[in-house]
Amino acid sequence: MNNNGWIATKKEHVTYNIFWLGQNILWGFVSNYLASYLNMGLGIDPLKAAAVLIGPRIWDAVNDTLFGYIVDKYRFKNGQQFMPWIKIGTFGIGVVGIVLFAIPKSLADTTKIIWFVIAYMIFDALYTFLDAPAFSMSTVMTDNIQERTEFISGNKLFAMIGGIIATVAVSGFIESVGWFGSAVIFCGIGFVLMIPYLFCGKERRVQTEKEKEESFSFKQMFSYLKTNKYLIACLISFLLFGMTSFEQPMSLYVAKVCFGAEGKQMFIAACAALPVLLVALVVPVLAKKYDKFYILLAGLVFSAIVSIVAIFVGCKSFVLSIVFVALKCIGFACWQVIIYMLVADTTEYGTYKSGVRATGITFSLQTFISKMNSALVNSFMLFCISFTGYDALLEAQTTEVITKIWNLYIYIPAIGYVLGIIILVVFYKLRVNDVQIMAKYNNGEISYEEANAELGKKFGEPFKK
């Protein structure tokens, strides 16, 4: 530590970004194609395949929350809290990912399902081992809030690139080398890209003597959550916004129904994804001058306004329509990048108010909500589509159905933007300067009196050490 706090190395920045690139190439391949693999690859009946996937979803909820508690309660012998878990998860997930796609098609359905469920549950647990701790590393590699913003922004940028690579490239590989061959390629590439960070990432925050003496309990965990109202606000908004994010899940319907060609889906999906890449690049620059809270708020307000205009523009012109899709997704992009930064900030607030540092449970809950979103948004989307009159058996839909599908694609995300604005303005009061002061107090760099003097009565008195 120097006068400026903990500073991460350039090598850590680079390898951290590459880690997320590899992780999302691997995760993108596995998560995006599970249903197709069960149905098309293994010949499992669609209804049976849907039922098979329910069990792992329940396991998701259990292992995320339980693991967050374990991470916060225990330290390894070398004093580290996060990096050992990332190493365990990384070295295991590549192998298990390949095993998951190695099921012989000649086996009986029951045997295939048992193999699949066991392999996927192990895979999901290993993913949890590396995902929440990898997010948490941004809070222990540096105590500089601006640098944390750069870490998380880079994380989202490279994660998005990895996801796009997996989504776009997979179909061609499956046709040429099959499911198992594709798993070897994508899981192998992901694993290799993740390795360098395991040797470069460094935890700089060490436990205080008081933290070493304390035993993190469920009571403390709930005390932390109870006092961390800003984390609760983030998680609720995360869930609501995620359930209304129809931009990617509904792109195939919009392409087929509104523009008459499924092949146009890739252009619509690209218009939804491109703003995330651009925002991830721009946010670290803007955050040097403006508070990231206001950047997010501006993005949401902009997209809400553009969505209103997009309703009147309609979908008669494909080019004009996808321009508006890209513009309205700027708010979606700001959310995708910045909400993770706000969650990281809440760890400092929670520690400041409760005296308990529960970074593991914070990011595990974030991971859980993210997984819940991916499960719920598709169901909610289908529920909404059922009211439009859409008939999958018809080659061409009526003009009324086309209009309803387009309006649904615009209206529901717009509701998400408005909900996000309301929750942020009403319930989220943390700003970057506040968080920096809290981090200094939590790390023992300033006293109780100094923290109180700098923050005033805005957040109440901190937990007295």
Side-chain angles (χ1 to χ4, degrees):
M1 185 186 297
N2 57 30
N3 293 332
N4 297 318
W6 317 322
I7 302 298
T9 65
K10 182 68 175 177
K11 190 179 291 186
E12 282 176 292
H13 279 272
V14 173
T15 56
Y16 189 68
N17 289 338
I18 293 174
F19 174 90
W20 287 102
L21 173 66
Q23 191 228 46
N24 280 271
I25 287 175
L26 192 154
W27 173 252
F29 169 74
V30 175
S31 65
N32 289 339
Y33 295 95
L34 282 179
S36 300
Y37 173 57
L38 279 169
N39 181 220
M40 300 168 62
L42 298 179
I44 304 294
D45 178 79
L47 286 177
K48 221 183 254 188
V52 168
L53 290 172
I54 292 175
R57 293 297 182 189
I58 297 173
W59 171 240
D60 277 353
V62 173
N63 81 55
D64 284 342
T65 308
L66 179 61
F67 180 68
Y69 170 76
I70 292 172
V71 168
D72 285 323
K73 184 176 178 64
Y74 297 104
R75 291 290 196 282
F76 286 80
K77 289 183 179 180
N78 61 4
Q80 293 182 341
Q81 184 179 10
F82 304 117
M83 185 56 78
W85 289 113
I86 297 173
K87 290 178 179 178
I88 293 169
T90 299
F91 283 111
I93 201 169
V95 175
V96 178
I98 293 171
V99 170
L100 179 61
F101 288 87
I103 305 173
K105 195 172 183 178
S106 59
L107 296 177
D109 280 2
T110 302
T111 307
K112 292 176 188 174
I113 290 170
I114 292 172
W115 183 327
F116 176 87
V117 169
I118 292 174
Y120 181 74
M121 289 177 72
I122 296 173
F123 176 88
D124 186 75
L126 290 168
Y127 179 79
T128 301
F129 285 1
L130 65 88
D131 190 61
F135 271 111
S136 300
M137 282 295 293
S138 65
T139 68
V140 295
M141 286 189 291
T142 177
D143 68 346
N144 183 280
I145 303 304
Q146 173 61 31
E147 192 172 24
R148 289 183 187 177
T149 295
E150 294 172 4
F151 269 119
I152 297 173
S153 186
N155 154 354
K156 294 306 298 178
L157 172 63
F158 281 82
M160 177 61 71
I161 294 172
I164 292 172
I165 290 172
T167 302
V168 173
V170 165
S171 58
F173 278 95
I174 291 173
E175 289 179 9
S176 58
V177 297
W179 288 97
F180 177 71
S182 298
V184 171
I185 292 170
F186 284 91
C187 291
I189 291 173
F191 173 73
V192 169
L193 291 174
M194 292 160 71
I195 291 297
Y197 179 66
L198 305 186
F199 299 96
C200 296
K202 184 178 179 182
E203 293 188 39
R204 290 178 175 80
R205 185 185 188 278
V206 296
Q207 282 181 293
T208 64
E209 290 303 317
K210 184 175 181 180
E211 287 173 335
K212 289 178 181 178
E213 293 170 2
E214 291 177 338
S215 177
F216 188 79
S217 64
F218 271 107
K219 184 178 179 180
Q220 286 177 305
M221 181 182 77
F222 286 115
S223 172
Y224 170 84
L225 293 175
K226 185 179 178 180
T227 58
N228 199 340
K229 58 185 178 182
Y230 299 125
L231 172 61
I232 302 300
C234 279
L235 294 176
I236 292 173
S237 60
F238 208 141
L239 181 62
L240 293 176
F241 194 89
M243 285 184 62
T244 59
S245 296
F246 283 10
E247 285 84 355
Q248 291 289 8
M250 202 173 167
S251 58
L252 187 59
Y253 286 92
V254 173
K256 183 178 180 179
V257 176
C258 298
F259 303 116
E262 291 184 5
K264 291 182 178 180
Q265 182 266 344
M266 63 183 294
F267 296 103
I268 299 170
C271 285
L274 184 60
V276 180
L277 300 179
L278 296 177
V279 167
L281 286 171
V282 171
V283 163
V285 178
L286 292 178
K288 292 178 180 179
K289 188 174 182 180
Y290 306 102
D291 193 302
K292 54 183 177 283
F293 172 86
Y294 295 113
I295 299 172
L296 174 56
L297 197 62
L300 294 178
V301 170
F302 175 80
S303 288
I305 295 171
V306 171
S307 295
I308 294 171
V309 178
I311 290 294
F312 294 99
V313 170
C315 55
K316 293 181 180 179
S317 167
F318 175 69
V319 174
L320 185 60
S321 296
I322 63 172
V323 167
F324 271 89
V325 168
L327 290 174
K328 89 180 188 70
C329 282
I330 288 175
F332 169 74
C334 288
W335 184 272
Q336 283 290 312
V337 175
I338 297 175
I339 189 62
Y340 294 93
M341 301 174 187
L342 300 188
V343 171
D345 287 349
T346 67
T347 63
E348 298 297 348
Y349 173 78
T351 306
Y352 179 80
K353 293 298 292 182
S354 68
V356 176
R357 192 165 191 88
T359 310
I361 193 66
T362 297
F363 285 106
S364 291
L365 287 170
Q366 170 196 286
T367 300
F368 167 63
I369 295 296
S370 182
K371 289 179 180 178
M372 286 295 293
N373 280 342
S374 66
L376 294 174
V377 67
N378 287 287
S379 298
F380 182 51
M381 178 191 72
L382 292 172
F383 174 77
C384 292
I385 287 175
S386 67
F387 291 96
T388 64
Y390 171 76
D391 188 344
L393 298 177
L394 296 178
E395 189 65 30
Q397 307 296 320
T398 65
T399 302
E400 182 182 3
V401 170
I402 292 172
T403 300
K404 286 182 177 179
I405 289 290
W406 175 255
N407 288 347
L408 185 64
Y409 182 67
I410 303 298
Y411 273 133
I412 299 299
I415 291 172
Y417 298 141
V418 173
L419 289 174
I421 292 167
I422 292 171
I423 292 173
L424 286 172
V425 171
V426 176
F427 299 106
Y428 192 89
K429 305 299 181 184
L430 285 177
R431 301 294 181 266
V432 64
N433 290 334
D434 303 326
V435 177
Q436 188 68 69
I437 294 167
M438 291 174 184
K440 288 181 178 179
Y441 176 70
N442 295 337
N443 298 329
E445 297 174 39
I446 60 176
S447 68
Y448 175 87
E449 291 74 21
E450 288 173 315
N452 252 339
E454 291 197 57
L455 292 173
K457 297 181 179 180
K458 184 177 179 181
F459 301 101
E461 291 190 2
F463 180 85
K464 197 164 186 178
K465 298 179 180 180

